[in-house]
Amino acid sequence: AAGVIQSPRHLIKEKRETATLKCYPIPRHDTVYWYQQGPGQDPQFLISFYEKMQSDKGSIPDRFSAQQFSDYHSELNMSSLELGDSALYFCASSSRGPKAGNTIYFGEGSWLTVV
Amino acid sequence: SQQGEEDPQALSIQEGENATMNCSYKTSINNLQWYRQNSGRGLVHLILIRSNEREKHSGRLRVTLDTSKKSSSLLITASRAADTASYFCATVGIQGAQKLVFGQGTRLTINP
């Protein structure tokens, strides 16, 4: 079965540069979530979209922005990168939002290293 | 953690033994989901349990939910070396937030 696809899997950026992460949800899933996981930490919620509209916002820095496109894929844009942004970034998807009680599936993640 | 606390933080057992991990949360929930994560890898979904359910099974996994105590447990029976991973519970609250909130996770090590 198709899973959540994230790209790139790894990227290395310098401080103050910009990075874009892409996420392709499971077909027919209309909800996308972004999470950030630092080393040894639990995943922290950044932002979510339902039917191409932002549905919730967590601890996402103002330097970060995201959107969900008409084909339901999503992109997380990160600017003015800082060393502390180095983390594993997950995208997840589900059908009809989290409160529908459907499974939320995660991708393999994108490793961002800021040097 | 934003929502849940997991207990224990680390667990080491012998292959073949059962492993029990507990999760507590703070607010009323719509559903609770358990995930496994191998080091540096993706989060693999294990089981979803809804607030009106008390127990669910999937293969060697058994999940219980006690909404009165705001707690859940994950039991892995007849553990295998391949079960070595971190296990997270995550909740979707009833009020407001359209997101899954994770606990701190339990690091499980199965010794051969």
Side-chain angles (χ1 to χ4, degrees):
Chain A
V4 178
I5 306 298
Q6 292 187 245
S7 68
R9 291 295 314 280
H10 300 269
L11 72 165
I12 299 174
K13 292 286 185 177
E14 296 189 353
K15 285 192 300 183
R16 293 180 289 278
E17 283 193 322
T18 297
T20 297
L21 306 181
K22 295 186 178 182
C23 169
Y24 296 87
I26 291 171
R28 291 181 293 282
H29 279 191
D30 49 25
T31 308
V32 167
Y33 315 77
W34 286 98
Y35 285 80
Q36 178 192 59
Q37 186 180 31
Q41 298 181 359
D42 54 292
Q44 296 292 312
F45 174 75
L46 293 178
I47 195 166
S48 61
F49 295 88
Y50 170 62
E51 281 292 344
K52 293 156 278 186
M53 299 286 289
Q54 181 182 305
S55 57
D56 203 349
K57 195 170 182 180
S59 51
I60 184 170
D62 291 341
R63 300 177 288 107
F64 292 10
S65 65
Q67 58 181 321
Q68 186 179 30
F69 294 86
S70 58
D71 63 352
Y72 295 99
H73 95 272
S74 179
E75 295 184 5
L76 176 66
N77 299 295
M78 300 175 285
S79 62
S80 302
L81 287 169
E82 301 173 356
L83 295 178
D85 296 328
S86 296
L88 183 56
Y89 289 83
F90 286 110
C91 174
S93 75
S94 70
S95 176
R96 296 189 295 120
K99 296 188 193 300
N102 295 321
T103 297
I104 298 174
Y105 294 95
F106 283 76
E108 281 290 318
S110 293
W111 274 106
L112 170 65
T113 302
V114 181
V115 297
Chain B
S1 175
Q2 298 176 56
Q3 172 78 327
E5 299 293 331
E6 297 204 40
D7 169 46
Q9 291 191 3
L11 178 62
S12 181
I13 61 174
Q14 295 299 120
E15 196 167 20
E17 294 181 336
N18 296 341
T20 299
M21 289 159 275
N22 302 297
C23 163
S24 62
Y25 55 90
K26 298 174 184 175
T27 61
S28 296
I29 63 169
N30 175 288
N31 64 80
L32 183 148
Q33 307 190 36
W34 283 90
Y35 293 86
R36 184 186 74 231
Q37 183 179 35
N38 291 91
S39 183
R41 301 295 303 276
L43 291 154
V44 176
H45 187 267
L46 298 176
I47 288 184
L48 178 153
I49 188 164
R50 296 182 175 84
S51 59
N52 62 349
E53 298 175 313
R54 292 297 167 257
E55 187 172 312
K56 287 190 84 169
H57 297 256
S58 177
R60 294 184 295 113
L61 306 181
R62 171 178 171 253
V63 166
T64 62
L65 178 65
D66 187 334
T67 53
S68 66
K69 295 181 179 178
K70 292 187 170 58
S71 67
S72 174
S73 68
L74 170 67
L75 168 66
I76 303 175
T77 60
S79 62
R80 305 167 181 169
D83 294 329
T84 294
S86 291
Y87 291 81
F88 292 92
C89 72
T91 56
V92 175
I94 288 178
Q95 301 291 342
Q98 299 289 328
K99 62 187 179 185
L100 196 59
V101 179
F102 282 82
Q104 291 179 327
T106 293
R107 175 67 191 170
L108 176 65
T109 302
I110 308 299
N111 302 303

